[in-house]
Amino acid sequence: MSWTATDRYRLRTAPSGLALVQDFLNTKAIKTHGLDLLSDADLARPWAAEALAEWSRVRGAEVPGFTPGSGDLRPLRDLRESFVSLLDGDEAAVEKPIKADLAVRDGVVRLFPSGAGRQWLASALWTETLLAQQAGIWQRLKLCRLDGCRSAFYDVSRNNSGVWHDVRTCGNVANLRASRERKKALS
């Protein structure tokens, strides 16, 4: 099994290329669990290498080399916040049009990311978002509702009603808080 940002939080990985979007969102530090992988180029490089290798394996496509430098970190964090906004139902800020390529392989038209460096990564993330929306699985990628967590998880509940990445941890904390508030209000 590969090591990704999502693995470090022991979360179920989203299917297909949507896993890249989930992993990108999970580069953010959660509570006291791990560092923000986009805070330093030395942390971003191994994450990018592993995440893109996994995307390449899943998609059966070549990945252009992308080695994030210090100049890429702020734009990548801003891009991550655009995806957070999108999942929160807010307007996602995109600084310029995103480009992608169409190609025919084995009689099937496929959409591929284009560009170089972080532009390629942005194209890959938005391409996977579009494909997930078209496949009807985008709505299952969610952010944990517990403040301080907000990890990106793939909801596998039958009716797509999950709100916490783990009911036993974040769900328990939220339910305990709510119970204490109810008891306090009754006193």
Side-chain angles (χ1 to χ4, degrees), residues 78-146:
D78 291 345
L79 179 60
R80 183 176 61 196
E81 288 309 309
S82 293
F83 277 93
V84 167
S85 294
L86 185 63
L87 285 173
D88 283 341
D90 300 330
E91 188 70 27
V94 179
E95 60 188 62
K96 57 185 171 183
I98 305 301
K99 295 180 182 174
D101 296 325
L102 292 173
V104 179
R105 250 191 218 159
D106 301 323
V108 177
V109 178
R110 295 181 62 191
L111 185 63
F112 288 96
S114 66
R118 79 171 174 262
Q119 287 78 24
W120 181 91
L121 179 58
S123 178
L125 293 164
W126 290 114
T127 296
E128 293 302 341
T129 300
L130 173 66
L131 293 173
Q133 289 172 342
Q134 291 176 332
I137 61 172
W138 172 255
Q139 70 276 10
R140 290 193 171 273
L141 184 62
K142 298 178 179 182
L143 297 173
C144 183
R145 279 200 196 159
L146 186 68

Short mmCIF file of all heavy atoms in Angstrom, two decimals, residues 78-146:
data_model
loop_
_atom_site.label_atom_id
_atom_site.label_comp_id
_atom_site.label_asym_id
_atom_site.label_seq_id
_atom_site.Cartn_x
_atom_site.Cartn_y
_atom_site.Cartn_z
N ASP A 78 -3.65 28.10 -1.74
CA ASP A 78 -4.82 28.85 -2.21
C ASP A 78 -5.74 27.93 -3.03
O ASP A 78 -6.97 27.99 -2.90
CB ASP A 78 -4.41 30.06 -3.04
CG ASP A 78 -3.73 31.14 -2.22
OD1 ASP A 78 -3.83 31.11 -0.97
OD2 ASP A 78 -3.09 32.03 -2.83
N LEU A 79 -5.13 27.10 -3.87
CA LEU A 79 -5.92 26.15 -4.67
C LEU A 79 -6.65 25.17 -3.75
O LEU A 79 -7.83 24.88 -3.96
CB LEU A 79 -5.01 25.40 -5.64
CG LEU A 79 -5.67 24.35 -6.52
CD1 LEU A 79 -6.75 24.97 -7.41
CD2 LEU A 79 -4.60 23.64 -7.37
N ARG A 80 -5.97 24.71 -2.72
CA ARG A 80 -6.60 23.80 -1.75
C ARG A 80 -7.82 24.48 -1.12
O ARG A 80 -8.88 23.86 -0.96
CB ARG A 80 -5.58 23.39 -0.70
CG ARG A 80 -6.10 22.39 0.31
CD ARG A 80 -5.02 21.94 1.27
NE ARG A 80 -4.49 23.06 2.03
CZ ARG A 80 -3.34 23.03 2.71
NH1 ARG A 80 -2.60 21.93 2.73
NH2 ARG A 80 -2.94 24.08 3.39
N GLU A 81 -7.69 25.76 -0.77
CA GLU A 81 -8.82 26.48 -0.18
C GLU A 81 -9.96 26.64 -1.18
O GLU A 81 -11.14 26.67 -0.77
CB GLU A 81 -8.37 27.83 0.37
CG GLU A 81 -7.54 27.70 1.64
CD GLU A 81 -8.19 26.83 2.71
OE1 GLU A 81 -9.37 27.07 3.05
OE2 GLU A 81 -7.53 25.90 3.22
N SER A 82 -9.66 26.72 -2.48
CA SER A 82 -10.72 26.76 -3.49
C SER A 82 -11.53 25.47 -3.46
O SER A 82 -12.76 25.50 -3.59
CB SER A 82 -10.12 26.96 -4.88
OG SER A 82 -9.55 28.24 -4.99
N PHE A 83 -10.84 24.35 -3.28
CA PHE A 83 -11.55 23.07 -3.20
C PHE A 83 -12.35 22.96 -1.90
O PHE A 83 -13.45 22.42 -1.90
CB PHE A 83 -10.57 21.90 -3.35
CG PHE A 83 -10.27 21.60 -4.78
CD1 PHE A 83 -9.18 22.17 -5.40
CD2 PHE A 83 -11.09 20.77 -5.53
CE1 PHE A 83 -8.90 21.92 -6.73
CE2 PHE A 83 -10.83 20.52 -6.87
CZ PHE A 83 -9.73 21.09 -7.47
N VAL A 84 -11.82 23.49 -0.80
CA VAL A 84 -12.57 23.52 0.46
C VAL A 84 -13.85 24.33 0.25
O VAL A 84 -14.94 23.90 0.65
CB VAL A 84 -11.71 24.11 1.60
CG1 VAL A 84 -12.57 24.43 2.82
CG2 VAL A 84 -10.59 23.15 1.97
N SER A 85 -13.74 25.49 -0.39
CA SER A 85 -14.92 26.32 -0.66
C SER A 85 -15.94 25.58 -1.51
O SER A 85 -17.14 25.63 -1.25
CB SER A 85 -14.51 27.61 -1.36
OG SER A 85 -13.73 28.41 -0.51
N LEU A 86 -15.46 24.88 -2.52
CA LEU A 86 -16.36 24.12 -3.39
C LEU A 86 -17.10 23.05 -2.59
O LEU A 86 -18.32 22.90 -2.73
CB LEU A 86 -15.57 23.50 -4.54
CG LEU A 86 -16.37 22.78 -5.60
CD1 LEU A 86 -17.31 23.74 -6.34
CD2 LEU A 86 -15.43 22.10 -6.59
N LEU A 87 -16.40 22.32 -1.75
CA LEU A 87 -17.05 21.28 -0.94
C LEU A 87 -17.99 21.87 0.10
O LEU A 87 -18.98 21.24 0.47
CB LEU A 87 -16.01 20.41 -0.25
CG LEU A 87 -15.31 19.40 -1.16
CD1 LEU A 87 -14.18 18.70 -0.42
CD2 LEU A 87 -16.29 18.38 -1.71
N ASP A 88 -17.69 23.07 0.56
CA ASP A 88 -18.57 23.75 1.51
C ASP A 88 -19.78 24.38 0.83
O ASP A 88 -20.62 24.98 1.50
CB ASP A 88 -17.80 24.81 2.29
CG ASP A 88 -16.92 24.23 3.38
OD1 ASP A 88 -17.15 23.07 3.79
OD2 ASP A 88 -16.00 24.93 3.84
N GLY A 89 -19.85 24.29 -0.48
CA GLY A 89 -20.98 24.85 -1.22
C GLY A 89 -20.82 26.32 -1.53
O GLY A 89 -21.78 26.97 -1.95
N ASP A 90 -19.63 26.86 -1.35
CA ASP A 90 -19.36 28.25 -1.66
C ASP A 90 -18.78 28.36 -3.07
O ASP A 90 -18.41 27.36 -3.68
CB ASP A 90 -18.35 28.84 -0.67
CG ASP A 90 -18.86 28.78 0.77
OD1 ASP A 90 -20.09 28.84 0.97
OD2 ASP A 90 -18.02 28.64 1.67
N GLU A 91 -18.65 29.56 -3.53
CA GLU A 91 -18.05 29.81 -4.84
C GLU A 91 -16.55 29.53 -4.75
O GLU A 91 -15.85 30.09 -3.91
CB GLU A 91 -18.28 31.27 -5.25
CG GLU A 91 -17.87 31.60 -6.66
CD GLU A 91 -18.76 30.95 -7.71
OE1 GLU A 91 -19.94 30.70 -7.43
OE2 GLU A 91 -18.25 30.70 -8.81
N ALA A 92 -16.06 28.64 -5.58
CA ALA A 92 -14.63 28.32 -5.61
C ALA A 92 -13.92 29.35 -6.47
O ALA A 92 -14.33 29.62 -7.59
CB ALA A 92 -14.40 26.92 -6.16
N ALA A 93 -12.88 29.95 -5.93
CA ALA A 93 -12.12 30.96 -6.66
C ALA A 93 -11.09 30.28 -7.56
O ALA A 93 -10.26 29.52 -7.08
CB ALA A 93 -11.42 31.89 -5.68
N VAL A 94 -11.18 30.55 -8.85
CA VAL A 94 -10.21 30.04 -9.81
C VAL A 94 -9.62 31.25 -10.49
O VAL A 94 -10.33 32.05 -11.10
CB VAL A 94 -10.87 29.10 -10.84
CG1 VAL A 94 -9.85 28.60 -11.85
CG2 VAL A 94 -11.54 27.94 -10.13
N GLU A 95 -8.29 31.39 -10.36
CA GLU A 95 -7.65 32.61 -10.84
C GLU A 95 -7.62 32.75 -12.35
O GLU A 95 -7.57 33.84 -12.87
CB GLU A 95 -6.24 32.72 -10.27
CG GLU A 95 -5.33 31.58 -10.66
CD GLU A 95 -4.02 31.61 -9.93
OE1 GLU A 95 -4.03 31.51 -8.69
OE2 GLU A 95 -2.99 31.74 -10.60
N LYS A 96 -7.62 31.66 -13.10
CA LYS A 96 -7.62 31.73 -14.56
C LYS A 96 -8.23 30.46 -15.11
O LYS A 96 -8.38 29.48 -14.38
CB LYS A 96 -6.21 31.95 -15.08
CG LYS A 96 -5.20 30.91 -14.69
CD LYS A 96 -3.83 31.32 -15.18
CE LYS A 96 -2.78 30.41 -14.59
NZ LYS A 96 -1.46 30.76 -14.95
N PRO A 97 -8.58 30.46 -16.38
CA PRO A 97 -9.17 29.25 -16.95
C PRO A 97 -8.25 28.04 -16.80
O PRO A 97 -7.03 28.16 -16.89
CB PRO A 97 -9.36 29.59 -18.43
CG PRO A 97 -9.36 31.08 -18.48
CD PRO A 97 -8.47 31.54 -17.36
N ILE A 98 -8.84 26.90 -16.57
CA ILE A 98 -8.11 25.65 -16.44
C ILE A 98 -8.17 24.94 -17.79
O ILE A 98 -9.24 24.83 -18.38
CB ILE A 98 -8.74 24.75 -15.35
CG1 ILE A 98 -8.84 25.49 -14.02
CG2 ILE A 98 -7.97 23.45 -15.21
CD1 ILE A 98 -7.54 25.99 -13.46
N LYS A 99 -7.03 24.46 -18.25
CA LYS A 99 -6.97 23.78 -19.54
C LYS A 99 -6.81 22.28 -19.34
O LYS A 99 -6.17 21.85 -18.38
CB LYS A 99 -5.82 24.32 -20.36
CG LYS A 99 -6.02 25.79 -20.71
CD LYS A 99 -4.88 26.33 -21.52
CE LYS A 99 -5.19 27.80 -21.77
NZ LYS A 99 -4.13 28.49 -22.41
N ALA A 100 -7.39 21.53 -20.24
CA ALA A 100 -7.25 20.07 -20.26
C ALA A 100 -7.28 19.63 -21.72
O ALA A 100 -7.68 20.39 -22.60
CB ALA A 100 -8.37 19.42 -19.47
N ASP A 101 -6.85 18.41 -21.97
CA ASP A 101 -6.79 17.87 -23.33
C ASP A 101 -7.72 16.69 -23.47
O ASP A 101 -7.92 15.92 -22.53
CB ASP A 101 -5.36 17.40 -23.65
CG ASP A 101 -4.36 18.53 -23.67
OD1 ASP A 101 -4.73 19.65 -24.10
OD2 ASP A 101 -3.21 18.31 -23.25
N LEU A 102 -8.26 16.55 -24.65
CA LEU A 102 -9.04 15.37 -24.99
C LEU A 102 -8.16 14.48 -25.87
O LEU A 102 -7.42 14.97 -26.72
CB LEU A 102 -10.30 15.74 -25.78
CG LEU A 102 -11.36 16.52 -25.01
CD1 LEU A 102 -12.47 16.97 -25.96
CD2 LEU A 102 -11.95 15.67 -23.90
N ALA A 103 -8.26 13.18 -25.67
CA ALA A 103 -7.52 12.23 -26.48
C ALA A 103 -8.39 11.00 -26.68
O ALA A 103 -9.22 10.66 -25.83
CB ALA A 103 -6.21 11.85 -25.81
N VAL A 104 -8.20 10.35 -27.80
CA VAL A 104 -8.92 9.11 -28.08
C VAL A 104 -7.93 7.97 -27.89
O VAL A 104 -6.87 7.94 -28.52
CB VAL A 104 -9.50 9.09 -29.51
CG1 VAL A 104 -10.20 7.78 -29.78
CG2 VAL A 104 -10.43 10.27 -29.73
N ARG A 105 -8.29 7.06 -26.99
CA ARG A 105 -7.47 5.88 -26.72
C ARG A 105 -8.36 4.66 -26.73
O ARG A 105 -9.36 4.63 -26.02
CB ARG A 105 -6.80 6.00 -25.36
CG ARG A 105 -5.34 6.20 -25.48
CD ARG A 105 -4.67 6.04 -24.13
NE ARG A 105 -3.63 7.06 -24.10
CZ ARG A 105 -3.08 7.54 -23.06
NH1 ARG A 105 -3.44 7.11 -21.88
NH2 ARG A 105 -2.15 8.45 -23.14
N ASP A 106 -8.01 3.68 -27.53
CA ASP A 106 -8.78 2.44 -27.61
C ASP A 106 -10.25 2.71 -27.90
O ASP A 106 -11.14 2.06 -27.35
CB ASP A 106 -8.63 1.63 -26.32
CG ASP A 106 -7.19 1.27 -26.02
OD1 ASP A 106 -6.44 1.00 -26.98
OD2 ASP A 106 -6.81 1.27 -24.84
N GLY A 107 -10.51 3.69 -28.76
CA GLY A 107 -11.87 4.01 -29.17
C GLY A 107 -12.68 4.77 -28.13
O GLY A 107 -13.88 4.94 -28.27
N VAL A 108 -12.02 5.26 -27.07
CA VAL A 108 -12.71 5.99 -26.01
C VAL A 108 -12.12 7.40 -25.91
O VAL A 108 -10.90 7.56 -25.87
CB VAL A 108 -12.56 5.26 -24.65
CG1 VAL A 108 -13.19 6.06 -23.53
CG2 VAL A 108 -13.14 3.87 -24.72
N VAL A 109 -12.99 8.40 -25.87
CA VAL A 109 -12.53 9.78 -25.68
C VAL A 109 -12.26 9.97 -24.20
O VAL A 109 -13.11 9.67 -23.36
CB VAL A 109 -13.58 10.80 -26.17
CG1 VAL A 109 -13.11 12.21 -25.92
CG2 VAL A 109 -13.89 10.58 -27.65
N ARG A 110 -11.06 10.46 -23.89
CA ARG A 110 -10.67 10.66 -22.50
C ARG A 110 -10.19 12.07 -22.30
O ARG A 110 -9.64 12.69 -23.21
CB ARG A 110 -9.58 9.66 -22.12
CG ARG A 110 -10.09 8.23 -22.18
CD ARG A 110 -9.06 7.21 -21.80
NE ARG A 110 -8.62 7.39 -20.43
CZ ARG A 110 -7.57 6.76 -19.93
NH1 ARG A 110 -6.87 5.93 -20.65
NH2 ARG A 110 -7.22 6.97 -18.68
N LEU A 111 -10.39 12.57 -21.10
CA LEU A 111 -9.96 13.90 -20.70
C LEU A 111 -8.68 13.78 -19.89
O LEU A 111 -8.61 12.99 -18.95
CB LEU A 111 -11.06 14.56 -19.87
CG LEU A 111 -10.90 15.99 -19.44
CD1 LEU A 111 -10.86 16.91 -20.65
CD2 LEU A 111 -12.05 16.40 -18.53
N PHE A 112 -7.66 14.56 -20.27
CA PHE A 112 -6.37 14.52 -19.58
C PHE A 112 -5.97 15.91 -19.14
O PHE A 112 -6.21 16.89 -19.84
CB PHE A 112 -5.28 13.97 -20.51
CG PHE A 112 -5.40 12.50 -20.77
CD1 PHE A 112 -6.03 12.05 -21.92
CD2 PHE A 112 -4.90 11.58 -19.88
CE1 PHE A 112 -6.15 10.70 -22.17
CE2 PHE A 112 -5.02 10.22 -20.12
CZ PHE A 112 -5.64 9.78 -21.27
N PRO A 113 -5.29 16.00 -18.01
CA PRO A 113 -4.75 17.30 -17.57
C PRO A 113 -3.70 17.80 -18.54
O PRO A 113 -3.06 17.01 -19.23
CB PRO A 113 -4.12 16.98 -16.21
CG PRO A 113 -4.57 15.63 -15.84
CD PRO A 113 -5.00 14.93 -17.06
N SER A 114 -3.53 19.11 -18.59
CA SER A 114 -2.49 19.67 -19.44
C SER A 114 -1.73 20.73 -18.66
O SER A 114 -2.13 21.12 -17.56
CB SER A 114 -3.09 20.26 -20.72
OG SER A 114 -3.90 21.37 -20.42
N GLY A 115 -0.64 21.19 -19.24
CA GLY A 115 0.18 22.20 -18.60
C GLY A 115 1.43 21.57 -18.01
O GLY A 115 1.74 20.40 -18.25
N ALA A 116 2.13 22.36 -17.22
CA ALA A 116 3.35 21.90 -16.58
C ALA A 116 3.36 22.39 -15.13
O ALA A 116 2.71 23.38 -14.79
CB ALA A 116 4.57 22.43 -17.33
N GLY A 117 4.10 21.68 -14.30
CA GLY A 117 4.25 22.11 -12.90
C GLY A 117 2.93 22.17 -12.17
O GLY A 117 2.08 21.32 -12.33
N ARG A 118 2.77 23.22 -11.39
CA ARG A 118 1.54 23.33 -10.59
C ARG A 118 0.32 23.58 -11.47
O ARG A 118 -0.79 23.24 -11.07
CB ARG A 118 1.68 24.36 -9.48
CG ARG A 118 1.54 25.78 -9.87
CD ARG A 118 1.47 26.69 -8.63
NE ARG A 118 1.46 28.05 -9.08
CZ ARG A 118 2.53 28.83 -9.13
NH1 ARG A 118 3.70 28.40 -8.74
NH2 ARG A 118 2.42 30.07 -9.58
N GLN A 119 0.50 24.12 -12.70
CA GLN A 119 -0.64 24.26 -13.60
C GLN A 119 -1.17 22.88 -14.01
O GLN A 119 -2.36 22.68 -14.13
CB GLN A 119 -0.27 25.08 -14.86
CG GLN A 119 -0.09 26.56 -14.59
CD GLN A 119 1.24 26.89 -13.94
OE1 GLN A 119 2.21 26.16 -14.04
NE2 GLN A 119 1.28 28.02 -13.24
N TRP A 120 -0.23 21.93 -14.21
CA TRP A 120 -0.66 20.57 -14.53
C TRP A 120 -1.43 19.99 -13.35
O TRP A 120 -2.48 19.37 -13.53
CB TRP A 120 0.53 19.67 -14.86
CG TRP A 120 0.07 18.29 -15.22
CD1 TRP A 120 -0.23 17.81 -16.45
CD2 TRP A 120 -0.21 17.22 -14.30
NE1 TRP A 120 -0.68 16.52 -16.37
CE2 TRP A 120 -0.68 16.13 -15.06
CE3 TRP A 120 -0.12 17.08 -12.92
CZ2 TRP A 120 -1.05 14.92 -14.48
CZ3 TRP A 120 -0.50 15.87 -12.35
CH2 TRP A 120 -0.95 14.81 -13.12
N LEU A 121 -0.92 20.17 -12.13
CA LEU A 121 -1.61 19.64 -10.95
C LEU A 121 -3.00 20.26 -10.82
O LEU A 121 -3.98 19.55 -10.57
CB LEU A 121 -0.79 19.89 -9.68
CG LEU A 121 -1.42 19.38 -8.38
CD1 LEU A 121 -1.70 17.88 -8.44
CD2 LEU A 121 -0.53 19.72 -7.19
N ALA A 122 -3.12 21.57 -11.02
CA ALA A 122 -4.44 22.22 -10.97
C ALA A 122 -5.36 21.62 -12.03
O ALA A 122 -6.53 21.32 -11.76
CB ALA A 122 -4.30 23.72 -11.14
N SER A 123 -4.84 21.43 -13.23
CA SER A 123 -5.63 20.83 -14.31
C SER A 123 -6.07 19.41 -13.93
O SER A 123 -7.22 19.03 -14.15
CB SER A 123 -4.81 20.80 -15.61
OG SER A 123 -5.54 20.20 -16.65
N ALA A 124 -5.17 18.63 -13.34
CA ALA A 124 -5.52 17.27 -12.92
C ALA A 124 -6.61 17.28 -11.86
O ALA A 124 -7.57 16.50 -11.92
CB ALA A 124 -4.27 16.55 -12.40
N LEU A 125 -6.50 18.17 -10.89
CA LEU A 125 -7.48 18.24 -9.80
C LEU A 125 -8.86 18.64 -10.33
O LEU A 125 -9.88 18.05 -9.97
CB LEU A 125 -7.01 19.19 -8.72
CG LEU A 125 -5.78 18.72 -7.94
CD1 LEU A 125 -5.15 19.87 -7.17
CD2 LEU A 125 -6.14 17.58 -7.00
N TRP A 126 -8.91 19.66 -11.18
CA TRP A 126 -10.19 20.10 -11.73
C TRP A 126 -10.76 19.08 -12.71
O TRP A 126 -11.98 18.86 -12.75
CB TRP A 126 -10.09 21.49 -12.37
CG TRP A 126 -9.88 22.56 -11.35
CD1 TRP A 126 -8.78 23.35 -11.20
CD2 TRP A 126 -10.79 22.98 -10.33
NE1 TRP A 126 -8.96 24.22 -10.14
CE2 TRP A 126 -10.18 24.02 -9.60
CE3 TRP A 126 -12.07 22.57 -9.96
CZ2 TRP A 126 -10.80 24.66 -8.53
CZ3 TRP A 126 -12.70 23.22 -8.89
CH2 TRP A 126 -12.06 24.24 -8.19
N THR A 127 -9.89 18.42 -13.47
CA THR A 127 -10.34 17.37 -14.39
C THR A 127 -10.99 16.24 -13.60
O THR A 127 -12.07 15.75 -13.95
CB THR A 127 -9.15 16.83 -15.21
OG1 THR A 127 -8.66 17.88 -16.04
CG2 THR A 127 -9.54 15.66 -16.08
N GLU A 128 -10.33 15.81 -12.52
CA GLU A 128 -10.89 14.73 -11.70
C GLU A 128 -12.20 15.16 -11.03
O GLU A 128 -13.10 14.34 -10.86
CB GLU A 128 -9.88 14.25 -10.67
CG GLU A 128 -8.68 13.55 -11.28
CD GLU A 128 -9.02 12.33 -12.13
OE1 GLU A 128 -10.14 11.76 -12.02
OE2 GLU A 128 -8.16 11.92 -12.93
N THR A 129 -12.30 16.42 -10.68
CA THR A 129 -13.55 16.94 -10.11
C THR A 129 -14.68 16.84 -11.13
O THR A 129 -15.77 16.36 -10.82
CB THR A 129 -13.36 18.38 -9.63
OG1 THR A 129 -12.34 18.41 -8.63
CG2 THR A 129 -14.65 18.96 -9.07
N LEU A 130 -14.41 17.28 -12.35
CA LEU A 130 -15.41 17.20 -13.41
C LEU A 130 -15.83 15.75 -13.66
O LEU A 130 -17.02 15.44 -13.74
CB LEU A 130 -14.86 17.82 -14.71
CG LEU A 130 -15.74 17.64 -15.95
CD1 LEU A 130 -17.05 18.40 -15.80
CD2 LEU A 130 -14.99 18.09 -17.19
N LEU A 131 -14.86 14.86 -13.77
CA LEU A 131 -15.17 13.45 -14.02
C LEU A 131 -15.97 12.84 -12.87
O LEU A 131 -16.90 12.06 -13.10
CB LEU A 131 -13.88 12.66 -14.27
CG LEU A 131 -13.12 13.03 -15.55
CD1 LEU A 131 -11.78 12.31 -15.60
CD2 LEU A 131 -13.96 12.73 -16.79
N ALA A 132 -15.63 13.21 -11.63
CA ALA A 132 -16.38 12.71 -10.47
C ALA A 132 -17.81 13.26 -10.47
O ALA A 132 -18.75 12.54 -10.12
CB ALA A 132 -15.66 13.08 -9.18
N GLN A 133 -17.97 14.52 -10.85
CA GLN A 133 -19.31 15.09 -10.92
C GLN A 133 -20.13 14.36 -11.98
O GLN A 133 -21.30 14.02 -11.75
CB GLN A 133 -19.25 16.58 -11.21
CG GLN A 133 -18.74 17.39 -10.03
CD GLN A 133 -18.49 18.85 -10.37
OE1 GLN A 133 -18.37 19.24 -11.53
NE2 GLN A 133 -18.39 19.67 -9.33
N GLN A 134 -19.52 14.09 -13.12
CA GLN A 134 -20.23 13.39 -14.20
C GLN A 134 -20.56 11.95 -13.82
O GLN A 134 -21.59 11.42 -14.23
CB GLN A 134 -19.42 13.43 -15.49
CG GLN A 134 -19.33 14.81 -16.09
CD GLN A 134 -18.44 14.87 -17.30
OE1 GLN A 134 -17.50 14.10 -17.45
NE2 GLN A 134 -18.72 15.83 -18.17
N ALA A 135 -19.71 11.33 -13.02
CA ALA A 135 -19.92 9.94 -12.60
C ALA A 135 -20.88 9.84 -11.41
O ALA A 135 -21.26 8.75 -11.00
CB ALA A 135 -18.59 9.29 -12.24
N GLY A 136 -21.26 10.99 -10.83
CA GLY A 136 -22.18 10.99 -9.70
C GLY A 136 -21.55 10.61 -8.38
O GLY A 136 -22.25 10.22 -7.45
N ILE A 137 -20.23 10.72 -8.26
CA ILE A 137 -19.57 10.38 -6.99
C ILE A 137 -19.01 11.61 -6.28
O ILE A 137 -18.58 11.52 -5.13
CB ILE A 137 -18.46 9.32 -7.17
CG1 ILE A 137 -17.36 9.82 -8.11
CG2 ILE A 137 -19.06 8.01 -7.66
CD1 ILE A 137 -16.15 8.91 -8.19
N TRP A 138 -19.03 12.76 -6.92
CA TRP A 138 -18.47 13.97 -6.30
C TRP A 138 -19.14 14.28 -4.97
O TRP A 138 -18.48 14.64 -4.00
CB TRP A 138 -18.60 15.16 -7.27
CG TRP A 138 -18.23 16.46 -6.62
CD1 TRP A 138 -19.08 17.45 -6.21
CD2 TRP A 138 -16.92 16.90 -6.27
NE1 TRP A 138 -18.38 18.48 -5.65
CE2 TRP A 138 -17.04 18.16 -5.67
CE3 TRP A 138 -15.65 16.35 -6.41
CZ2 TRP A 138 -15.94 18.89 -5.21
CZ3 TRP A 138 -14.56 17.07 -5.95
CH2 TRP A 138 -14.72 18.32 -5.36
N GLN A 139 -20.45 14.15 -4.90
CA GLN A 139 -21.18 14.51 -3.68
C GLN A 139 -20.81 13.62 -2.50
O GLN A 139 -21.13 13.94 -1.36
CB GLN A 139 -22.70 14.50 -3.92
CG GLN A 139 -23.29 13.13 -4.11
CD GLN A 139 -23.21 12.59 -5.51
OE1 GLN A 139 -22.53 13.14 -6.39
NE2 GLN A 139 -23.89 11.48 -5.77
N ARG A 140 -20.10 12.54 -2.72
CA ARG A 140 -19.67 11.67 -1.62
C ARG A 140 -18.34 12.11 -1.02
O ARG A 140 -17.95 11.61 0.03
CB ARG A 140 -19.59 10.22 -2.08
CG ARG A 140 -20.97 9.65 -2.34
CD ARG A 140 -20.94 8.15 -2.50
NE ARG A 140 -22.29 7.61 -2.54
CZ ARG A 140 -23.00 7.28 -1.46
NH1 ARG A 140 -22.49 7.43 -0.26
NH2 ARG A 140 -24.21 6.78 -1.58
N LEU A 141 -17.63 13.04 -1.67
CA LEU A 141 -16.41 13.58 -1.08
C LEU A 141 -16.83 14.73 -0.18
O LEU A 141 -17.47 15.68 -0.61
CB LEU A 141 -15.45 14.07 -2.17
CG LEU A 141 -14.09 14.57 -1.66
CD1 LEU A 141 -13.33 13.44 -0.97
CD2 LEU A 141 -13.28 15.14 -2.80
N LYS A 142 -16.50 14.61 1.11
CA LYS A 142 -16.97 15.58 2.10
C LYS A 142 -15.84 15.97 3.03
O LYS A 142 -14.82 15.29 3.12
CB LYS A 142 -18.09 14.96 2.93
CG LYS A 142 -19.31 14.58 2.12
CD LYS A 142 -20.35 13.93 3.00
CE LYS A 142 -21.59 13.58 2.19
NZ LYS A 142 -22.62 13.01 3.04
N LEU A 143 -16.07 17.06 3.75
CA LEU A 143 -15.16 17.49 4.80
C LEU A 143 -15.83 17.20 6.13
O LEU A 143 -17.01 17.51 6.32
CB LEU A 143 -14.86 18.99 4.68
CG LEU A 143 -14.15 19.41 3.40
CD1 LEU A 143 -14.06 20.93 3.34
CD2 LEU A 143 -12.77 18.79 3.31
N CYS A 144 -15.08 16.60 7.05
CA CYS A 144 -15.60 16.30 8.38
C CYS A 144 -16.14 17.59 9.01
O CYS A 144 -15.50 18.63 8.94
CB CYS A 144 -14.49 15.71 9.23
SG CYS A 144 -15.02 15.21 10.88
N ARG A 145 -17.31 17.51 9.60
CA ARG A 145 -17.95 18.70 10.19
C ARG A 145 -17.34 19.16 11.49
O ARG A 145 -17.62 20.27 11.94
CB ARG A 145 -19.43 18.43 10.41
CG ARG A 145 -20.23 18.61 9.17
CD ARG A 145 -21.68 18.83 9.52
NE ARG A 145 -22.49 18.62 8.33
CZ ARG A 145 -23.76 18.34 8.36
NH1 ARG A 145 -24.40 18.23 9.51
NH2 ARG A 145 -24.43 18.17 7.25
N LEU A 146 -16.53 18.33 12.13
CA LEU A 146 -15.97 18.73 13.41
C LEU A 146 -14.91 19.81 13.19
O LEU A 146 -13.95 19.62 12.44
CB LEU A 146 -15.33 17.52 14.12
CG LEU A 146 -14.84 17.81 15.53
CD1 LEU A 146 -16.01 18.08 16.47
CD2 LEU A 146 -14.02 16.65 16.04
#
